[in-house]
Amino acid sequence: MPAVSKGDGMRGLAVFISDIRNCKSKEAEIKRINKELANIRSKFKGDKALDGYSKKKYVCKLLFIFLLGHDIDFGHMEAVNLLSSNKYTEKQIGYLFISVLVNSNSDLIRLINNGIKNDLGSRNPTFMNLALHCIANVGSREMAEAFASDIPRILVAGDTMDSVKQSAALCLLRLNRTSPDLVPMGEWTARVVHLLNDQHLGVVTAATSLITTLAQKSPDDFKTSISLAIARLSRIVTSASIDLQDYTYYFVAAPWLSVKLLRLLQCYPPPEDAALRSRLTECLETILNKAQEPPKSKKVQHSNAKNAVLFEAISLIIHHDSEPTLLVRACNQLGQFLQHRETNLRYLALESMCTLASSEFSHEAVKTHIETVINALKTERDVSVRQRAVDLLYAMCDRSNAKQIVAEMLSYLETADYSIREEIVLKVAILAEKYAVDYTWYVDTILNLIRIAGDYVSEEVWYRVIQIVINRDDVQGYAAKTVFEALQAPACHENLVKVGGYILGEFGNLIAGDSRSSPLVQFNLLHSKFHLCSVPTRALLLSAYIKFINLFPEVKATIQDVLRSDSQLRNADVELQQRAVEYLRLSCIASTDILATVLEEMPPFPERESSILAKLKRKKGPGHLPDIDDARRNVNGSTEHSESTEATSKSSPSLMTDLLPTNRPRPASSSPIMLSAGTMSSSHPFTDLLNLNSTPSAGGSLLIDVFSDNSTPASMDVSEENFSRFVCKNNGVLYENQLLQIGLKSEYRQNLGRMYVFFGNKTSTQFLSFSSVVASQDTLKTQLNVQTKTVDPIIEGGAQVQQILNIECVSDFTDAPVLNIQFRYGGALQNIAVKLPVMLNKFFQPTEMTSQDFFQRWKQLGAPQQEVQKIFKAKHSMDTDVTKAKILGFGVALLDGVDPNPANFVGAGVIHTKSTQVGCLLRLEPNTQAEMYRLTLRTSRDSVSQRLCDLLSEQF
């Protein structure tokens, strides 16, 4: 910056500021300001032309008055005139006034743009910086139109000074954020990437911020930045602090630049080049190692800088989700922060571990910290940290620890902050349902939940427990006995009365044999709660009473007396009055057979989608994009989910068949009295007991028809970037650009599969006319049936919607369907085509075999056309645990002790299709010295052998 001369002190401004500060009252201040404004106005309108110094002084006074909160309606032209001055201080004040007071709709914008253009073309670095700063500060669309093509040229010009390059990069970043459609992509994009190699680290830092934003918009145009970013990051993390003295912050070399480079690398998948990938791994390992070293300073700035780089490195490790060793190390590193004295570090550690818990490689490592997390839940003083602890317990939960985690959450719920109680209730309900192998435990948990936090138990929770009890014959008697005992408490929450009324109305006969729970005792117990309940609950209880008349004829007279009482027949509420009249009349005129038919037991609910998790996601708010892994992932295709599903009867819904809300369908043959909309007013949410008067589901079959006959347009490029990553796993991010993120969660059983596709709007603008259809080639249509459910045509900014695909494997196949997405963003039509990761191995059922059975079957499949063998070079490190995880994720059972060579891997499974079943045996022989593999597959069908070999060999 040029030196400021002695005469630039602006003594008049200093005196004015002093006068303002000395004012004793607001009135005195306003009086002094009005006097000054009158003086300035007279000077500007006077006949005598003002020199540059005077203009600068008066404009500066106006700026100060504006900053005090007073309106300024003149002086703008004088500020614009200062832009033509050759003195730095005068030009600086002119730009400062314009940046603060001139809005984008001003009539002076054209004059301002001319002044800026002159300064940009002056080649004076000081003036160029002032102009660039003004463009960035105003950031109007008019300025973007005027200078969006000039600034990239300045940025990549060889003779531009470093300070100007920094300003140009940040100015272009600002314009890209405010008017992304006006920033042209041209030949400069390839040249701006090379700024990552610039010798000046300030330029590199500014360029990295710009490239990161542009890469999110057009990732393919900036792919070359990956190698340059890794090279620069490697030089930083391996350098000593003295090597980068100007950019070393409390003994940490260039922490801001390191964070930005790590963030840039998160825009892309792991590098395919082995050398580049190895170098990046070394960088990340070095960062993790440095975090373990003793601190070089006790000052908080040192630890803040070091931890900032560490957490960003961990974010990159989680994003890549491909290096098991790094993921486990990152988990252990975060575990050390869980008991750190710094609250922010504990918070960040819990938040990062939530994401790690969803990785198939690090989930077990996260679970080792369960006691520490539970202790944090009990002792942590900061409510936000306690909430993250709840989130982490929810994320790390699986079948092995579900009962412990649910018990701890219930225990904490009694003293939890009111702000997070509803969220904890939803999470407990989800976990109890998802991992309920013993349904008596599920019923006990939900009733305990209502007892502890009844006010926070939403309708979705008690609806769900009713549906599950109705669909499971083995738990109905226990549920009836449990709610009967719970209702005997002097004070019961109304939600418990609702559950009790419904369950006893349906299944009270299962416990009526005991004199302690005879029909009359049951009725008296329910009716003792009647007068304490709200109108909707009373309506539900009246429906339970009429059910009692059918179940227990001996209490018919008692119930009719209640229905006949004035408090019912003349009730002020029309809903209760109508129910009492109709039920009383029905009980008097209907024969026993008719009554039994009308009031028969509720049929099982058809397979449906629970809305509990939807409630949880809505609780998070629209700005929060829910992770697709909020529910525990089915790690590497393990049978964790299918086991719980197979435990249910065919008529019962899968316990976790949904992730987002849909309408609640009515049971296939609903009872007229319980659900008829014709005989009951719909003015209350409980008029049909569970408010299930929505469109019936499409029947019991998972698959109805192929949804779409559209094929992929020939002109559209189909994205296959992440396709191969899903061969051995069922969950993750399938596609991502600057607008949209597509995530998947899949589950398969025999020849049927269900895929949840999540569309996340990453912008703050609505997606309009959103559509998503699945297209298949003609041959594939006969081999694979895919039925899609329609998706909401509007996706709000920052929101996420879900689409469900039901899949049926008819016969073996090699191709994959394509997901075609179309929507409008900012008026422009967006088309995206993504290859869906539906492979033949997804329909594997693992088969356990003894050594003798294996080799006997191996010999039976000895025909040349039944065997496919492939020898290939290892693409990744030959880690035994990783190899086992990938084979399990492929879908086969890993057979230990079968192969004479313990280093070899042997597996067996059966491919299920609608038309046939194909047995498969595989053998993988690693040669660590030569870094080679030999893969042998034998199946009863040659096309299956070849396809499975191609899929699996690409994973090693």
Side-chain angles (χ1 to χ4, degrees):
M1 184 182 292
V4 180
S5 63
K6 191 174 182 180
D8 285 336
M10 290 190 288
R11 183 175 174 277
L13 175 65
V15 171
F16 174 61
I17 293 174
S18 179
D19 289 348
I20 293 294
R21 287 177 175 172
N22 291 331
C23 290
K24 302 298 183 183
S25 65
K26 187 70 176 176
E27 291 74 15
E29 177 184 308
I30 293 173
K31 184 178 179 181
R32 178 67 181 89
I33 286 173
N34 288 336
K35 178 182 177 182
E36 190 64 37
L37 287 174
N39 177 52
I40 296 171
R41 198 185 296 270
S42 66
K43 294 291 184 181
F44 283 166
K45 290 184 176 180
D47 297 333
K48 185 179 178 182
L50 296 176
D51 58 10
Y53 171 80
S54 298
K55 281 184 184 178
K56 176 186 70 171
K57 180 178 65 175
Y58 294 134
V59 166
C60 209
K61 285 183 178 181
L62 290 176
L63 183 58
F64 178 72
I65 293 170
F66 175 79
L67 295 177
L68 288 176
H70 301 271
D71 292 332
I72 299 297
D73 56 2
F74 69 98
H76 298 75
M77 194 63 201
E78 284 71 18
V80 173
N81 290 337
L82 286 175
L83 300 187
S84 59
S85 171
N86 287 324
K87 283 190 175 183
Y88 169 78
T89 53
E90 294 175 7
K91 191 183 290 285
Q92 180 196 32
I93 295 300
Y95 275 124
L96 185 60
F97 185 93
I98 289 167
S99 299
V100 175
L101 272 90
V102 175
N103 61 49
S104 57
N105 299 321
S106 173
D107 296 334
L108 299 174
I109 283 291
R110 185 168 294 179
L111 290 174
I112 294 169
N113 286 351
N114 285 335
I116 291 174
K117 201 156 199 168
N118 292 334
D119 285 336
L120 289 179
S122 69
R123 311 309 296 172
N124 182 322
T126 305
F127 292 173
M128 292 176 76
N129 275 329
L130 286 174
L132 289 168
H133 292 170
C134 181
I135 296 171
N137 284 329
V138 176
S140 66
R141 192 168 182 84
E142 290 76 11
M143 284 194 172
E145 290 174 344
F147 303 111
S149 57
D150 295 335
I151 297 171
R153 177 179 49 78
I154 295 172
L155 178 60
V156 298
D159 57 345
T160 304
M161 292 186 66
D162 291 337
S163 62
V164 178
K165 283 183 181 179
Q166 285 179 262
S167 298
L170 296 176
C171 181
L172 195 58
L173 174 62
R174 164 70 170 165
L175 294 183
N176 183 73
R177 287 174 176 169
T178 56
S179 307
D181 55 316
L182 296 180
V183 178
M185 293 291 174
E187 60 179 19
W188 65 272
T189 56
R191 297 174 64 187
V192 78
V193 170
H194 292 283
L195 290 178
L196 294 176
N197 271 337
D198 199 279
Q199 293 184 347
H200 193 280
L201 287 191
V203 174
V204 180
T205 305
T208 305
S209 297
L210 174 63
I211 293 168
T212 301
T213 301
L214 295 176
Q216 292 170 348
K217 180 180 179 182
S218 305
D220 292 339
D221 293 340
F222 296 91
K223 270 189 173 179
T224 53
S225 66
I226 299 174
S227 57
L228 297 177
I230 292 174
R232 174 63 78 172
L233 181 65
S234 178
R235 292 201 294 273
I236 293 172
V237 299
T238 57
S239 66
S241 57
I242 57 172
D243 297 338
L244 303 170
Q245 284 186 349
D246 292 341
Y247 286 86
T248 296
Y249 180 78
Y250 287 87
F251 303 101
V252 180
W256 283 275
L257 178 55
S258 299
V259 167
K260 289 178 184 293
L261 290 169
L262 290 165
R263 200 163 288 169
L264 170 60
L265 292 172
Q266 290 175 52
C267 297
Y268 295 95
E272 296 179 359
D273 182 77
L276 205 58
R277 192 166 184 161
S278 174
R279 191 173 185 185
L280 176 58
T281 302
E282 289 176 9
C283 290
L284 296 172
E285 286 177 344
T286 303
I287 293 171
L288 293 177
N289 291 335
K290 284 187 174 181
Q292 297 279 38
E293 295 174 359
K296 297 179 180 178
S297 171
K298 292 183 179 180
K299 293 191 175 181
V300 68
Q301 291 91 337
H302 170 72
S303 61
N304 284 349
K306 189 166 73 168
N307 291 331
V309 178
L310 173 64
F311 275 101
E312 205 60 50
I314 290 174
S315 295
L316 179 60
I317 293 169
I318 294 171
H319 171 76
H320 283 173
D321 193 19
S322 59
E323 295 292 339
T325 307
L326 287 177
L327 284 163
V328 172
R329 282 198 61 187
C331 180
N332 294 335
Q333 195 91 42
L334 291 171
Q336 297 176 15
F337 288 122
L338 293 180
Q339 295 177 307
H340 199 278
R341 58 185 176 84
E342 177 60 44
T343 304
N344 288 336
L345 287 179
R346 297 197 300 275
Y347 180 94
L348 290 172
L350 289 166
E351 189 174 48
S352 298
M353 288 185 82
C354 283
T355 313
L356 275 173
S358 62
S359 169
E360 58 259 43
F361 299 118
S362 55
H363 181 76
E364 292 300 321
V366 172
K367 282 167 58 179
T368 61
H369 300 283
I370 185 170
E371 296 300 333
T372 308
V373 179
I374 290 172
N375 185 58
L377 190 64
K378 295 176 179 177
T379 61
E380 183 61 54
R381 288 177 296 176
D382 191 306
V383 62
S384 62
V385 180
R386 291 199 298 274
Q387 186 164 3
R388 293 286 80 79
V390 170
D391 292 342
L392 180 52
L393 286 174
Y394 176 74
M396 70 166 64
C397 188
D398 59 20
R399 187 165 288 105
S400 66
N401 57 18
K403 290 191 176 182
Q404 180 188 3
I405 288 177
V406 168
E408 292 293 347
M409 283 189 172
L410 283 173
S411 174
Y412 171 64
L413 191 56
E414 299 191 41
T415 57
D417 298 83
Y418 295 108
S419 60
I420 63 173
R421 281 195 178 187
E422 185 178 1
E423 187 177 327
I424 296 174
V425 166
L426 292 172
K427 287 181 174 177
V428 169
I430 291 166
L431 295 178
E433 177 184 335
K434 185 175 181 183
Y435 299 113
V437 178
D438 179 0
Y439 286 90
T440 59
W441 171 74
Y442 172 71
V443 171
D444 288 340
T445 300
I446 299 299
L447 294 181
N448 204 16
L449 196 62
I450 295 173
R451 180 186 63 79
I452 295 172
D455 290 338
Y456 299 91
V457 175
S458 61
E459 293 176 354
E460 288 84 355
V461 174
W462 75 265
Y463 285 173
R464 196 64 176 156
V465 71
I466 292 293
Q467 293 165 6
I468 289 173
V469 169
I470 286 176
N471 284 20
R472 294 203 56 86
D473 297 337
D474 56 339
V475 80
Q476 289 165 0
Y478 180 82
K481 177 175 177 291
T482 306
V483 296
F484 176 77
E485 292 172 352
L487 285 171
Q488 293 179 17
C492 292
H493 194 274
E494 191 167 330
N495 281 333
L496 182 59
V497 178
K498 294 174 186 174
V499 175
Y502 200 107
I503 290 179
L504 291 179
E506 291 292 325
F507 311 115
N509 59 308
L510 299 178
I511 61 171
D514 190 331
S515 60
R516 292 171 296 180
S517 54
S518 64
L520 187 59
V521 173
Q522 290 185 43
F523 170 72
N524 289 334
L525 180 62
L526 283 178
H527 197 55
S528 67
K529 314 292 181 185
F530 188 89
H531 66 287
L532 300 171
C533 298
S534 61
V535 169
T537 306
R538 291 185 189 185
L540 187 149
L541 288 177
L542 289 178
S543 295
Y545 296 168
I546 191 67
K547 285 274 189 173
F548 271 23
I549 292 179
N550 177 48
L551 292 175
F552 314 118
E554 61 268 33
V555 297
K556 180 176 180 179
T558 306
I559 295 175
Q560 285 179 333
D561 288 342
V562 171
L563 295 175
R564 199 177 283 116
S565 64
D566 285 350
S567 61
Q568 305 303 334
L569 293 181
R570 299 179 184 276
N571 196 293
D573 185 89
V574 66
E575 172 64 23
L576 294 181
Q577 186 185 102
Q578 182 179 353
R579 289 203 180 203
V581 170
E582 292 180 355
Y583 289 168
L584 178 62
R585 192 66 182 151
L586 178 65
S587 67
C588 292
I589 66 172
S591 66
T592 305
D593 292 340
I594 293 175
L595 204 62
T597 303
V598 172
L599 301 173
E600 66 181 352
E601 185 179 301
M602 289 287 288
F605 287 89
E607 185 165 341
R608 67 186 56 224
E609 293 161 351
S610 160
S611 56
I612 302 177
L613 192 53
K615 178 86 174 179
L616 176 61
K617 290 184 181 295
R618 290 196 300 271
K619 180 74 176 168
K620 290 286 188 184
H624 171 76
L625 276 180
D627 292 331
I628 61 168
D629 301 305
D630 274 352
R632 168 82 175 94
R633 288 184 179 179
N634 183 6
V635 177
N636 262 348
S638 70
T639 58
E640 179 175 287
H641 288 276
S642 60
E643 286 170 3
S644 65
T645 307
E646 289 166 8
T648 63
S649 62
K650 289 184 179 179
S651 65
S652 65
S654 172
L655 285 184
M656 271 318 286
T657 55
D658 70 304
L659 286 182
L660 287 178
T662 58
N663 291 334
R664 301 183 201 91
R666 184 188 303 185
S669 57
S670 55
S671 171
I673 289 298
M674 299 298 277
L675 295 177
S676 170
T679 58
M680 298 179 188
S681 166
S682 59
S683 61
H684 296 291
F686 298 96
T687 54
D688 58 2
L689 291 192
L690 285 180
N691 193 25
L692 301 172
N693 290 329
S694 47
T695 308
S697 66
S701 173
L702 280 173
L703 297 148
I704 301 172
D705 196 3
V706 178
F707 182 77
S708 173
D709 291 329
N710 297 332
S711 58
T712 308
S715 60
M716 191 184 302
D717 292 331
V718 179
S719 172
E720 301 183 24
E721 185 176 357
N722 293 327
F723 181 81
S724 62
R725 298 181 65 187
F726 284 83
V727 171
C728 293
K729 68 176 186 176
N730 290 333
N731 311 284
V733 176
L734 177 64
Y735 176 85
E736 187 168 11
N737 62 13
Q738 76 279 8
L739 303 178
L740 179 71
Q741 182 188 69
I742 304 175
L744 293 185
K745 177 180 173 61
S746 312
E747 53 190 17
Y748 295 87
R749 193 196 321 165
Q750 297 184 354
N751 71 312
L752 299 179
R754 174 168 286 181
M755 181 178 287
Y756 303 92
V757 186
F758 300 88
F759 301 101
N761 184 347
K762 296 171 62 177
T763 72
S764 57
T765 306
Q766 281 185 335
F767 289 168
L768 301 175
S769 305
F770 191 92
S771 67
S772 168
V773 297
V774 176
S776 302
Q777 300 298 331
D778 292 339
T779 306
L780 184 61
K781 288 179 183 178
T782 63
Q783 300 166 338
L784 195 72
N785 285 340
V786 182
Q787 176 231 338
T788 62
K789 294 190 177 181
T790 55
V791 67
D792 195 325
I794 297 176
I795 305 181
E796 298 293 338
Q800 176 175 278
V801 299
Q802 172 192 260
Q803 184 176 34
I804 299 177
L805 312 182
N806 290 322
I807 304 162
E808 181 185 36
C809 179
V810 179
S811 61
D812 62 281
F813 59 96
T814 56
D815 204 355
V818 174
L819 188 67
N820 293 319
I821 301 108
Q822 189 177 75
F823 60 93
R824 289 193 175 275
Y825 169 73
L829 187 64
Q830 307 287 329
N831 288 289
I832 298 169
V834 185
K835 198 170 185 179
L836 278 176
V838 182
M839 305 90 163
L840 187 58
N841 66 293
K842 298 298 181 185
F843 302 96
F844 253 129
Q845 287 294 304
T847 305
E848 295 291 342
M849 302 177 75
T850 64
S851 178
Q852 182 180 353
D853 293 340
F854 179 85
F855 284 109
Q856 183 180 351
R857 182 61 178 157
W858 184 267
K859 290 176 183 178
Q860 291 173 354
L861 297 172
Q865 69 272 17
Q866 293 177 327
E867 179 180 285
V868 173
Q869 191 173 89
K870 187 173 184 179
I871 299 173
F872 53 93
K873 186 80 173 174
K875 298 177 184 176
H876 311 289
S877 61
M878 301 178 71
D879 185 274
T880 302
D881 292 336
V882 175
T883 304
K884 285 182 179 180
K886 287 182 178 179
I887 293 175
L888 288 171
F890 193 63
V892 298
L894 195 61
L895 308 179
D896 293 326
V898 170
D899 198 293
N901 184 349
N904 294 343
F905 302 92
V906 174
V910 177
I911 295 284
H912 286 259
T913 70
K914 185 178 180 181
S915 56
T916 186
Q917 295 183 5
V918 182
C920 172
L921 304 177
L922 70 84
R923 187 183 191 189
L924 182 67
E925 302 167 85
N927 185 335
T928 53
Q929 292 182 342
E931 295 187 348
M932 302 282 285
Y933 285 102
R934 178 166 66 183
L935 175 63
T936 308
L937 278 114
R938 291 188 181 185
T939 73
S940 53
R941 185 168 296 185
D942 55 349
S943 58
V944 174
S945 301
Q946 187 61 55
R947 180 56 178 160
L948 293 178
C949 184
D950 293 341
L951 287 171
L952 187 56
S953 60
E954 291 297 317
Q955 301 303 307
F956 298 103

